[in-house]
Amino acid sequence: MHRNGDIAMKDDTKIIVQVDKTVVKVTGLEVKGLNIQQLEEIIIDKLKSVIRIIGVTGNSIEMDVYGVEEEDILREEDGIIKAISLADGITVSDLSALSSVKKIQSVDINAIPEYIEGGCKGERWQKR
Amino acid sequence: MAKKVISKAIIIPTGDELRAGIVLDTDSPMIMQILLSMNGSCNITRNEPLLDSENIIIDCIKGYVANKVDLIILIGGSGGGHRYSSTLGKDFTHSSLDRILKEKYFSELYGKNGHMWSKLICGTIENTVVINVPGPYQEAKAAIEAFKKAYEKDNKDLKQININMTEAVKAEYGNKLAVNY
């Protein structure tokens, strides 16, 4: 294994990207026909930091926020909800809220769980 | 080396949220544009979004392989997703490709918390090249642009194509933390 800046690389092409991020979930939304790019641009403009939408359901969105601490995100809750409401395809309500804001925790890069190629799904679930 | 021109390509978006119309598919038009820049007369089909199911994805790929297409591109489902967190989407694309590709090369990108952000695979079944790209637009764009560049350089070197695609996606995750205003 060798290190290149903040990125550790193994010869078996498993690459660890050492980046801090906070996972934020917003619930109480109505989502239909969402343009994720537009939503990302709106939230990036609000937080002045890169975000990525990683999960969308009919009533929630989940995103990775890079380089912003949990407390700062929670302090901006109202502003974030208002910003989200500007995106096409999202309707907010009084129930809309940041239901989860969690900074990721580092793990030992030598202990990444494996899954069996072609193995049964249940087994993968348990291993994860 | 004789360059193999991609004359027939299939784009297959995956994800229940796309199929339900919760999220718009902006990746497919972007990928189509890049494929057309490689060959203006390429015949490109965008399959309907597939449900997140290994069997459905595999059956779809096999159908197109039987029709002797040159390239199949799957979009989304490349991360750890549900295997890491039950609230995230179901990511079955890479595990489906693991099961059916004959010759294949793959690279995995992990976050520092051990979550697999993306597993990119480049392989073949019969004479069809099959690749996947991540769902997020910027990463998908970086991956397919890297594919184009590597494929046009040496379309037989699947390993290098895979490495170049992975490096391009990694750059999107690791190097754009600050937004300049």
Side-chain angles (χ1 to χ4, degrees):
Chain A
M1 183 192 301
H2 65 276
R3 286 186 176 274
N4 179 12
D6 61 346
I7 293 169
M9 187 179 295
K10 288 176 72 175
D11 292 332
D12 61 357
T13 61
K14 284 183 179 174
I15 300 168
I16 312 293
V17 186
Q18 299 284 4
V19 176
D20 279 323
K21 66 178 182 180
T22 301
V23 182
V24 177
K25 186 168 187 179
V26 187
T27 53
L29 306 170
E30 190 180 318
V31 187
K32 186 74 178 174
L34 174 67
N35 182 329
I36 288 178
Q37 276 177 271
Q38 184 203 34
L39 177 61
E40 286 182 345
E41 286 169 9
I42 288 171
I43 302 175
I44 286 170
D45 186 53
K46 173 68 187 169
L47 294 176
K48 302 289 187 279
S49 191
V50 169
I51 70 120
R52 279 287 180 269
I53 304 295
I54 58 170
V56 181
T57 70
N59 52 31
S60 71
I61 61 169
E62 197 161 355
M63 58 185 149
D64 288 341
V65 179
Y66 295 91
V68 183
E69 295 300 318
E70 291 168 312
E71 311 82 62
D72 295 327
I73 293 169
L74 287 166
R75 201 177 301 124
E76 286 284 342
E77 177 169 10
D78 289 346
I80 292 171
I81 302 289
K82 278 181 189 165
I84 287 172
S85 72
L86 297 175
D88 297 332
I90 288 190
T91 306
V92 301
S93 71
D94 292 343
L95 299 175
S96 302
L98 304 187
S99 61
S100 174
V101 178
K102 286 182 183 169
K103 191 171 182 176
I104 63 165
Q105 302 297 314
S106 298
V107 298
D108 178 0
I109 62 172
N110 295 312
I112 297 169
E114 299 284 352
Y115 66 87
I116 300 167
E117 188 176 313
C120 90
K121 293 170 193 167
E123 191 175 27
R124 289 184 211 168
W125 270 99
Q126 288 165 7
K127 280 183 176 290
R128 282 279 170 186
Chain B
M1 176 186 296
K3 199 171 88 175
K4 186 181 179 187
V5 175
I6 298 170
S7 303
K8 210 171 181 182
I10 309 296
I11 300 170
I12 307 176
T14 65
D16 300 354
E17 71 284 2
L18 284 176
R19 198 174 170 86
I22 293 169
V23 173
L24 296 177
D25 175 15
T26 53
D27 290 346
S28 294
M30 173 270 294
I31 290 172
M32 189 176 290
Q33 189 176 356
I34 289 171
L35 291 176
L36 288 172
S37 75
M38 297 172 76
N39 175 16
S41 61
C42 183
N43 185 335
I44 305 169
T45 300
R46 186 248 188 194
N47 196 83
E48 65 177 299
L50 296 181
L51 290 172
D52 293 302
S53 156
E54 284 183 3
N55 289 338
I56 289 173
I57 293 170
I58 287 170
D59 287 347
C60 182
I61 292 171
K62 283 181 175 174
Y64 284 119
V65 169
N67 283 325
K68 302 187 185 309
V69 303
D70 299 311
L71 174 68
I72 296 174
I73 301 170
L74 287 112
I75 308 170
S78 72
H82 64 287
R83 299 183 184 93
Y84 179 75
S85 166
S86 59
T87 64
L88 292 178
K90 297 179 181 65
D91 290 340
F92 284 125
T93 301
H94 54 80
S95 52
S96 304
L97 295 180
D98 265 343
R99 284 175 54 186
I100 60 167
L101 293 181
K102 304 295 182 198
E103 182 190 6
K104 62 189 172 190
Y105 297 93
F106 67 85
S107 305
E108 298 172 346
L109 287 166
Y110 289 87
K112 62 189 287 187
N113 60 341
H115 174 46
M116 187 170 75
W117 280 341
S118 192
K119 178 171 182 172
L120 296 183
I121 300 181
C122 183
T124 57
I125 317 176
E126 297 177 17
N127 291 317
T128 301
V129 174
V130 185
I131 62 170
N132 68 321
V133 299
Y137 182 88
Q138 297 299 341
E139 283 77 27
K141 189 165 187 284
I144 199 66
E145 284 175 343
F147 168 80
K148 174 189 170 180
K149 201 171 174 182
Y151 186 91
E152 288 181 337
K153 191 172 180 185
D154 184 354
N155 64 278
K156 299 287 185 194
D157 192 349
L158 298 180
K159 185 175 184 181
Q160 194 58 49
I161 291 171
N162 178 251
I163 289 171
N164 287 14
M165 290 175 71
T166 304
E167 289 292 332
V169 172
K170 183 183 75 179
E172 288 296 317
Y173 288 129
N175 296 337
K176 295 187 177 174
L177 298 181
V179 180
N180 296 318
Y181 284 93

